Amino acid sequence: MIILNTGDGKGKTTSAVGQIIRSLGHEFRVCLIQLFKGENFYGEQKILVKLDNLDFFPFAKEHPDCIKGVNLDKVVSQCRSAVKKLRDLADVPEKYDLIVLEEFNIALRDKFIDENEFIDIIKRLSQKSNVIVTGRGAPQSLIDIADLVTEMKEIKHPYKKGVQSQRGIEY
Amino acid sequence: MIILNTGDGKGKTTSAVGQIIRSLGHEFRVCLIQLFKGENFYGEQKILVKLDNLDFFPFAKEHPDCIKGVNLDKVVSQCRSAVKKLRDLADVPEKYDLIVLEEFNIALRDKFIDENEFIDIIKRLSQKSNVIVTGRGAPQSLIDIADLVTEMKEIKHPYKKGVQSQRGIEY
């Protein structure tokens, strides 16, 4: 099954994290491939790395839109390494029960990774694993092949009223 | 801050679970009060009970719409015990950093708990704790006092095509 968490609202990443916890509770094997998330910043990273049956691969920890002075070539190269990792997972007979691809929609939007190549790999991976892809602005090609698509829709957000991002809530 | 995860789509509960993991990663104290969730059924329960700094209180484990032959009086009485627990949390000086109230929107919809009383308690609790309330069909009074409201909107769902609920994904 291919699951897509998209939209401009809160809950895309936290829902994927909850899904990881749910799967681990059934002793399933889980793989998390994360893009654009600074190390030791997000609270969930500190818990997830301690859990059994979860393999965690962070790539391209900084996105040029968020961190000034980031080398774009390095970001693109890191995103391509993430895709290579995915291709390797598709090629081997071993399987994870769940593979979570965090913020890959952003890498697709910014053309850091090739959409057609990504779609092909996801289709193959989903033959043996459940795959969750997160990030706002999912491309139509991914929506088309997904089985379950949820739009996290912002109804009310305090940061619009100038409230600052809060530890334990936003990160 | 009062946070509301509502809508007919997937991700209300899993996002709250992810939020719990995020908060625990910062060593925050978390309280989860859960309604209508059968024991040892949802994968996340098995992981959450093992984590430090989390207090977990399940009430009214069966909802009459889901489990046949459930005693309605007992369900209502259990939901009221959950509200009493909440009132107790509001009355003491000690505080949790995060309190998650799972499926309370359903208890409000079904009039198992009193809306005005609930709103009053939540307002008081949110003075000292972040509070997350989940469940479809949040009442307008709760949307009005919430700081952050996300609608999990179903764009595509495989169960409409007759696919069965899947272990590790739906529970």
Side-chain angles (χ1 to χ4, degrees):
Chain A
M1 183 145 74
I2 300 170
I3 298 170
L4 200 44
N5 296 348
T6 192
D8 60 0
K10 204 173 150 45
K12 298 180 288 292
T13 289
T14 46
S15 171
V17 170
Q19 203 68 66
I20 289 171
I21 298 297
R22 179 169 286 179
S23 285
L24 292 177
H26 294 299
E27 296 179 354
F28 287 170
R29 287 192 65 217
V30 181
C31 175
L32 166 60
I33 303 186
Q34 201 174 52
L35 297 180
F36 313 131
K37 297 273 163 119
E39 213 166 4
N40 288 323
F41 179 69
Y42 290 85
E44 61 269 30
Q45 294 165 333
K46 295 170 197 175
I47 301 289
L48 291 174
V49 294
K50 290 189 222 161
L51 298 177
D52 291 337
N53 294 327
L54 174 70
D55 292 330
F56 176 31
F57 304 97
F59 289 92
K61 289 170 194 165
E62 296 163 331
H63 190 284
D65 287 355
C66 307
I67 315 281
K68 275 185 192 167
V70 171
N71 183 318
L72 188 62
D73 290 342
K74 208 173 147 190
V75 171
V76 172
S77 151
Q78 278 272 303
C79 288
R80 288 191 182 152
S81 298
V83 172
K84 186 185 174 306
K85 174 77 201 167
L86 265 187
R87 203 186 310 115
D88 291 347
L89 291 180
D91 286 342
V92 295
E94 294 78 26
K95 70 174 191 79
Y96 288 100
D97 299 291
L98 175 66
I99 298 172
V100 173
L101 305 177
E102 252 223 275
E103 305 293 358
F104 274 66
N105 289 335
I106 300 297
L108 289 165
R109 178 198 70 187
D110 295 342
K111 316 269 184 228
F112 295 163
I113 60 181
D114 182 76
E115 195 172 310
N116 291 331
E117 184 188 9
F118 182 74
I119 295 286
D120 279 347
I121 298 173
I122 295 302
K123 275 186 189 168
R124 286 168 57 212
L125 271 176
S126 69
Q127 300 299 312
K128 55 178 183 176
S129 304
N130 287 312
V131 180
I132 301 179
V133 185
T134 74
R136 58 180 66 204
Q140 189 58 47
S141 58
L142 194 52
I143 295 173
D144 289 343
I145 63 161
D147 303 284
L148 198 165
V149 181
T150 307
E151 178 194 353
M152 276 66 179
K153 200 175 164 191
E154 183 179 303
I155 305 291
K156 214 185 208 185
H157 205 299
Y159 308 130
K160 293 212 166 140
K161 291 193 290 183
V163 176
Q164 279 203 320
S165 173
Q166 206 184 114
R167 193 161 163 250
I169 297 295
E170 283 293 317
Y171 61 92
Chain B
M1 182 145 75
I2 300 170
I3 298 170
L4 200 44
N5 295 350
T6 192
D8 60 0
K10 205 174 150 43
K12 299 179 288 291
T13 289
T14 46
S15 171
V17 170
Q19 205 68 66
I20 289 171
I21 298 296
R22 179 168 284 178
S23 285
L24 292 176
H26 294 298
E27 296 178 354
F28 288 170
R29 288 193 64 217
V30 181
C31 175
L32 166 60
I33 303 185
Q34 201 175 52
L35 297 180
F36 314 132
K37 297 271 163 119
E39 212 166 6
N40 287 323
F41 179 70
Y42 291 84
E44 61 269 29
Q45 294 165 333
K46 295 170 197 176
I47 302 288
L48 291 174
V49 293
K50 290 189 220 162
L51 298 176
D52 290 338
N53 293 327
L54 174 70
D55 293 330
F56 177 29
F57 304 98
F59 289 92
K61 289 169 193 165
E62 296 162 332
H63 189 284
D65 287 354
C66 306
I67 313 280
K68 275 184 194 167
V70 171
N71 182 319
L72 189 64
D73 290 343
K74 208 173 147 189
V75 171
V76 172
S77 150
Q78 279 271 305
C79 287
R80 289 192 181 150
S81 298
V83 172
K84 185 184 174 305
K85 174 78 201 166
L86 267 186
R87 203 185 310 116
D88 291 347
L89 291 180
D91 287 342
V92 294
E94 294 78 25
K95 72 176 190 79
Y96 287 100
D97 298 290
L98 175 66
I99 298 173
V100 173
L101 305 177
E102 252 223 275
E103 305 294 359
F104 274 65
N105 288 337
I106 301 296
L108 288 165
R109 178 199 70 186
D110 295 342
K111 317 269 183 227
F112 295 163
I113 59 182
D114 183 77
E115 194 172 311
N116 291 331
E117 183 187 10
F118 182 74
I119 295 286
D120 280 347
I121 298 173
I122 296 301
K123 276 187 188 166
R124 285 169 55 213
L125 272 176
S126 69
Q127 300 299 314
K128 55 179 182 174
S129 304
N130 287 312
V131 179
I132 300 180
V133 185
T134 75
R136 58 181 65 206
Q140 190 57 47
S141 58
L142 194 52
I143 295 173
D144 289 343
I145 63 160
D147 302 285
L148 197 166
V149 181
T150 308
E151 178 194 354
M152 276 65 178
K153 199 176 166 188
E154 183 180 302
I155 304 293
K156 215 185 207 185
H157 204 298
Y159 309 130
K160 293 212 166 141
K161 291 194 288 180
V163 176
Q164 279 203 320
S165 172
Q166 206 185 116
R167 193 160 163 251
I169 297 294
E170 283 293 317
Y171 61 93

